[in-house]
Amino acid sequence: MTTEPTGGTSTGRGRPAAAPPPDPRRWKILAVIGLTQLMVVLDATIVNIALPSAQADLGFSDSRRQWVVTSYAMVFGTLLLLGGRVADLCGRRRAFLIGQTGFAAASALGGAAATFEVLVTARALQGLFAALLAPAALALLTTTFVGPERGRAFGVFGALAASGGAVGLLLGGLLTEHLSWRSTLYVNVLFAAVAVTGGALLLRRQRPTAPPRLDLPGTALASSGVFCMVYGLAEAGAHGWTSPDSWGFLTAAAVLIATFVWWQGRAPHPLLPLRIVLDRVRGAALVAVFITGTGMFGVFLFLTYYLQHTRGYSPGKTGLAFMPMSGSIVLSAIGSGTGLFRRLDARPRITGGMLLAAAGMAWMTDLSPDSAYVVDIVPAQVATGLGMGLITATAMNLGTAGINPQDAGVGSATVNAMRQIGGSVGTALMSTLAAGSAAAYLAGRRPTPDVEARAALASYHTVFTASAGIFVAGAVLTFFLLPGGLSVERAHGAHPARRPSGAARD
């Protein structure tokens, strides 16, 4: 392992030079980066509520409907590491502006789509440009804020990252109900116009950190491995776990990912330098981000189904029904670096957040068609949201602390990749569990509308139970992985009490 200075540059006499003054435009830069993060995250869910309207307009089948959501998530998740490395090599400002412009163009193409194929292609292109944009944005945040302000900045960023899914459901519902499903894609053009203008005016030009050298074999191994894993889980829902399409793709995924890890230790210019993930604290943070994505993305989808199909909510009302969760996430994430939470170390913040989210999921397992919204649904959302905000803000801060500046892009991409891959895996896994639960309930019963409704409710309960279990497992894992006494506010540059002052192992 190598060491790198983290407390400023040396004066040549053994004393560290004074740290550079903070960028006077840093809070404006945070606003631009925050808008970008919100746009990227909410696009994972904004079309969920719009899907029935898009399906009626374009005339595609139920079996093809999932690809409108999956095409974005899979391309985004599988190309994030490549996008992060491109940002490091070619300049983060340039990657940010190109990513924003491309994302806007892909969104406009999707909004104007006249066929299912064009819509799915546009969603895949959104994922492609998001994979360039997201790591560049997080790397810019990492290099803009240092010291005590870093915790507050990551609190805001974490709030947007964690609440973006719920905000996407709210915005998607309102736009679909009052305008059309196409507006859920066109709205990105407005977001991107503001972000591109702000980025062009505020972000400093940066020289690339090295000549462009990309690890194409590593990219192929990582992308195909993640694709096979998600596709195999999705096929298990359609054909069962014993189907060759299921275990064949899952086996291929295990082989490809293992080969990717082997290759990264030998590649001359690795896509993901192993020094980034072998750090104990950073590794624990990445595990927390992955588990959060796995536990939550599928739940957003199935809680939406419960509200719309079981409760009969309109798209707009469904979006508004997620407000308690969104508000709780924002309060918890922003407050994670202030007040009482500021006195807590990293381990109780993340482990406590996992247990809060698990409690919220467990509460949802009692939902029925007659459950009172205020008494039965809101408390579950609040508990889940408080836990989500606490985990995300803390883990994203730790996951990017102490990274060598030349690796900031790929390091940030790794954090985003863990979240998106976790979300893709979670959505596929929860869909598979839900399908199996519904089929088990229907076995031996006459499929009347009432029985089918009860089967759907049973599938939702299965998903919420599985998510609660995932968060409990996450609490146990992070408790043992994270060292005690680790202060989040001092983690930037060196993990306290674990490393010499002024040096960070990367």
Side-chain angles (χ1 to χ4, degrees):
M1 294 296 179
T2 60
T3 58
E4 67 189 42
T6 59
T9 58
S10 173
T11 63
R13 299 181 179 179
R15 291 175 299 179
D23 192 326
R25 303 171 297 178
R26 59 194 180 281
W27 296 108
K28 293 179 181 179
I29 292 174
L30 175 61
V32 172
I33 293 173
L35 178 64
T36 298
Q37 178 68 12
L38 180 63
M39 179 185 72
V40 168
V41 174
L42 67 81
D43 250 74
T45 58
I46 194 171
V47 300
N48 285 10
I49 298 178
L51 271 178
S53 299
Q55 185 176 3
D57 189 13
L58 301 182
F60 51 88
S61 65
D62 288 347
S63 61
R64 304 175 78 189
R65 181 174 58 189
Q66 65 168 321
W67 290 105
V68 179
V69 177
T70 307
S71 58
Y72 175 80
M74 289 185 66
V75 174
F76 187 12
T78 56
L79 295 181
L80 264 167
L81 290 176
L82 178 63
R85 182 51 78 192
V86 169
D88 282 335
L89 298 176
C90 300
R92 290 156 203 148
R93 180 182 184 271
R94 181 182 300 172
F96 181 89
L97 296 177
I98 292 174
Q100 282 282 7
T101 304
F103 195 93
S107 299
L109 175 65
T115 65
F116 170 78
E117 289 75 17
V118 172
L119 177 59
V120 170
T121 300
R123 290 285 287 167
L125 288 172
Q126 280 184 310
L128 169 66
F129 286 106
L132 179 63
L133 177 59
L138 185 53
L140 287 166
L141 179 67
T142 300
T143 55
T144 298
F145 286 90
V146 296
E149 291 183 339
R150 179 181 166 92
R152 293 195 293 272
F154 268 87
V156 174
F157 189 85
L160 295 172
S163 64
V167 172
L169 294 172
L170 169 62
L171 188 59
L174 294 175
L175 290 173
T176 300
E177 186 164 328
H178 297 290
L179 293 175
S180 75
W181 68 269
R182 297 181 184 277
S183 63
T184 63
L185 293 161
Y186 284 136
V187 71
N188 291 319
V189 179
L190 298 178
F191 287 149
V194 175
V196 167
T197 302
L201 294 175
L202 296 172
L203 298 176
R204 290 193 174 99
R205 296 181 183 274
Q206 297 172 313
R207 292 183 179 180
T209 59
R213 296 173 180 174
L214 298 178
D215 178 15
L216 296 181
T219 301
L221 288 169
S223 301
S224 56
V226 173
F227 174 85
C228 288
M229 178 170 56
V230 175
Y231 191 82
L233 289 171
E235 285 297 293
H239 304 294
W241 292 101
T242 58
S243 166
D245 285 342
S246 303
W247 57 260
F249 274 100
L250 292 174
T251 301
V255 172
L256 288 166
I257 292 172
T259 306
F260 170 75
V261 174
W262 172 84
W263 171 249
Q264 293 310 283
R266 292 158 178 79
H269 306 287
L271 179 65
L272 176 60
L274 294 183
R275 62 181 178 270
I276 290 177
V277 296
L278 291 179
D279 179 278
R280 174 182 175 182
V281 172
R282 192 175 301 130
L286 293 175
V287 168
V289 171
F290 177 83
I291 288 173
T292 302
T294 303
M296 278 307 301
F297 273 67
V299 169
F300 280 136
L301 185 61
F302 285 94
L303 187 55
T304 299
Y305 290 163
Y306 166 77
L307 293 172
Q308 282 197 287
H309 297 164
T310 303
R311 302 301 297 271
Y313 285 14
S314 67
K317 188 176 180 179
T318 299
L320 289 171
F322 276 92
M323 286 300 291
M325 185 182 294
S326 301
S328 300
I329 290 172
V330 171
L331 288 174
S332 178
I334 294 177
S336 64
T338 60
L340 175 63
F341 287 134
R342 191 179 183 87
R343 301 179 184 178
L344 292 178
D345 295 330
R347 185 160 66 181
R349 290 193 201 184
I350 292 181
T351 301
M354 293 281 184
L355 293 176
L356 270 173
M361 293 293 98
W363 191 298
M364 291 184 193
T365 59
D366 284 333
L367 293 180
S368 70
D370 301 320
S371 293
Y373 175 76
V374 173
V375 176
D376 298 316
I377 301 176
V378 170
Q381 288 198 43
V382 169
T384 302
L386 291 175
M388 284 287 296
L390 202 55
I391 299 165
T392 304
T394 306
M396 294 188 84
N397 194 341
L398 292 179
T400 55
I403 290 180
N404 190 312
Q406 71 180 15
D407 291 328
V410 71
S412 302
T414 305
V415 176
N416 272 301
M418 289 298 101
R419 180 176 172 80
Q420 291 301 323
I421 293 171
S424 298
V425 169
T427 300
L429 177 61
M430 297 305 172
S431 297
T432 297
L433 293 175
S437 176
Y441 187 91
L442 290 171
R445 292 184 171 92
R446 183 181 176 185
T448 63
D450 181 64
V451 169
E452 290 179 344
R454 292 180 181 276
L457 188 61
S459 71
Y460 307 154
H461 289 165
T462 298
V463 167
F464 300 146
T465 301
S467 293
I470 287 171
F471 280 115
V472 170
V476 174
L477 276 173
T478 53
F479 180 84
F480 287 106
L481 287 174
L482 284 169
L486 176 64
S487 169
V488 179
E489 278 61 45
R490 298 195 308 271
H492 179 52
H495 300 310
R498 303 291 163 187
R499 303 179 183 176
S501 177
R505 182 164 59 90
D506 208 9

